[in-house]
Amino acid sequence: MNPYAIIKMNSGKQIIIELLPESAPNTVNSFIHGVKAGVYDQSPIERIVPGSWVDISYTAFGKKEAKYLIPYESDLHPDLSPLASDLGSVCMGGYDELGLSGCEFFLPLRPCPEHLGKYPVFGKVVEGIEEIVRIGNEPVIPVTNFPYADIEINRPINPQIIESIDLKLHKYIPQEPILKEKQLLPECWKI
């Protein structure tokens, strides 16, 4: 049985995710590492791209424990076939040549074929898709101090807070995530 994560939102709703270590092992281990370090606790969702995705963070939650990068799964495990991302997928964000974020995941609101092989799907939502859609439809306001041009950054006007994430690991034994050798951190983590 795969491990599960239960995201408790300030709305009183929860989102339950089945983690997929057979599809993205290092990414799953990194997410679990972030949960255990408490990086998601009391964290506001920082970015919504209406009709596209809910991006949990782009500042590494402003927490030192979340400011690390991991290699792309395809670099570590070229034999694994990446999963397609769609509504109900859970994907880890990334920073092109810098690597994947260690903790910043996003929830697609539509099919995202442009992400295949780039942003690994490391989980699937088994409960709470309606909460993701609700968050994706929240009114937003543009963020103007983002350091990269041509990237749409909007934050929800009404804060959407992850109160906590609980893990049900079952028999899965997580490993420490493999980190990127050179930790050249994204400019947006310095905001």
Side-chain angles (χ1 to χ4, degrees), residues 5 14 19 36 60 68 73 84 86 88 92 94 101 129 141 145-146 150 171 176 185 187 189:
Q14 63 182 21
L19 301 176
K36 289 182 173 183
Y68 67 91
E73 283 291 339
D86 200 344
M92 190 61 75
S101 170
I129 286 185
I141 185 168
N145 67 336
F146 192 69
D150 302 326
K171 293 185 179 186
E176 283 298 309
L185 301 184
E187 289 298 315
W189 287 4

Side-chain angles (χ1 to χ4, degrees), residues 165-183:
I165 300 180
D166 294 328
L167 294 169
K168 302 291 182 204
L169 295 179
H170 304 291
K171 293 185 179 186
Y172 182 73
I173 300 171
Q175 306 296 311
E176 283 298 309
I178 297 168
L179 305 183
K180 208 49 186 161
E181 285 185 29
K182 291 185 179 180
Q183 291 287 312

Side-chain angles (χ1 to χ4, degrees), residues 41-79:
D41 296 347
Q42 299 303 312
S43 292
I45 291 175
E46 295 180 348
R47 180 180 182 222
I48 296 172
V49 179
S52 290
W53 51 83
V54 173
D55 200 347
I56 304 305
S57 178
Y58 61 85
T59 66
F61 309 95
K63 298 177 182 177
K64 181 181 176 185
E65 302 84 5
K67 292 183 179 181
Y68 67 91
L69 297 166
I70 60 176
Y72 285 96
E73 283 291 339
S74 57
D75 292 342
L76 292 175
H77 305 101
D79 53 316

